[in-house]
Amino acid sequence: MNNLRKWNFKIVLAGPGAVGKTSIRERYMGKGFESSYLKTIGADFASKKIKTENDLITFQIWDLAGQDSYQAVRSTFYKGAIAGILVFDCQDPTTMTNLKNWLDEAIKGSNNGILVYIVIANKIDLEEDRRVSREMALEFCNRMKTETGIRFYYSETSALTGQNIQETFDFLAYKLLQANNIQDIAFPANTDGIVDLDDIEEVKKESSPIPVATQSVSGDTISLDEFKILQDRVQVIEDRLNTIQAIIKKIVEKIQEEE
Ligand code: G3D
Ligand code: MG
């Protein structure tokens, strides 16, 4: 017991109101924890211990106490966090696109200290009302990844049925130990149902190089020669835009000099 490595990981559940953050936490750790002190700062947390042969991990899971849209109180929320779970509701695409703002806030609030980010599509039990497909979600995650350079994992859950909840937190524990350079992790990484956005990019790179000779504009196939002509024209337009940009810059400088 005494030889166990001890870890304290602060995890934040972020995302718009009513997407299921509290339900996810309750499903994972059970109901009951509530602190009026923390309520006043707009957040609430509960702890859960995970013991393995080599490690004793304490997850401190923070959840917004119903003040999801009250940004001012959230500064303490991210401080010291090492993992971020960004949750959206698969019935509502705007909750997904909103996550970019939550991500920016998490990066800033944690002082860039968050090592692992998982995006969760929640409420997947509501199959009939689902409006964000897995493909749409992965595309969104990939865009966030390109924009921020952050590595994302993606998971689909139901706090109602419990689907993928335990697996997602186990996966998080594994990734956090890995991020701390631990080699002898005494439990397997359960990656079922969890997508690593980096892998997707690899797959894309290997299996579908950008077709050059058959660039299709309006559904028709064009030859390599035609493509080259188009490419030259784009180059001409690009050069002209650069010239215009340089002229505008000069004008702006002139105006500033005169002021
Ligand atoms: P929040 O903490 O992100 O604000 P909550 O969200 O956990 O309070 O959940 C908001 C509502 O969505 C709750 O319904 C909750 O029961 C429901 N919900 C959360 N997760 C799931 C899920 O996976 N599937 C389904 N079907 N519903 C879910 P109420 O009616 O209590 O507002
Ligand atoms: Mg809540």
Side-chain angles (χ1 to χ4, degrees), residues 20 23-24 27 120-126 155-166 168:
S23 306
I24 288 172
R27 166 61 72 170
I120 285 187
N122 189 42
K123 307 196 188 181
I124 54 160
D125 55 285
L126 300 169
S155 169
E156 299 189 333
T157 62
S158 166
L160 186 75
T161 65
Q163 190 180 342
N164 234 355
I165 300 281
Q166 179 75 42
T168 299

Side-chain angles (χ1 to χ4, degrees), residues 18-108:
V19 296
K21 301 180 295 296
T22 304
S23 306
I24 288 172
R25 194 196 65 180
E26 284 177 352
R27 166 61 72 170
Y28 179 59
M29 15 178 66
K31 289 190 185 202
F33 188 92
E34 204 175 274
S35 152
S36 52
Y37 166 69
L38 288 165
K39 273 254 154 77
T40 63
I41 62 162
D44 188 3
F45 78 85
S47 301
K48 179 160 175 145
K49 289 193 190 316
I50 303 168
K51 203 172 128 194
T52 77
E53 224 169 278
N54 303 329
D55 298 280
L56 179 64
I57 301 166
T58 305
F59 267 162
Q60 204 186 73
I61 303 185
W62 287 62
D63 167 32
L64 293 165
Q67 310 219 28
D68 320 55
S69 59
Y70 190 30
Q71 226 167 337
V73 296
R74 289 208 294 265
S75 53
T76 39
F77 182 63
Y78 298 102
K79 220 166 265 166
I82 196 167
I85 303 183
L86 303 170
V87 188
F88 73 92
D89 178 346
C90 70
Q91 299 176 104
D92 180 359
T94 57
T95 62
M96 178 179 77
T97 45
N98 254 335
L99 289 185
K100 177 64 170 65
N101 299 332
W102 287 87
L103 173 68
D104 291 341
E105 193 183 286
I107 294 171
K108 227 163 110 193

Side-chain angles (χ1 to χ4, degrees), residues 125-137:
D125 55 285
L126 300 169
E127 278 167 49
E128 305 243 305
D129 299 313
R130 181 163 182 169
R131 285 178 57 216
V132 181
S133 68
R134 187 183 182 83
E135 287 70 31
M136 280 161 75

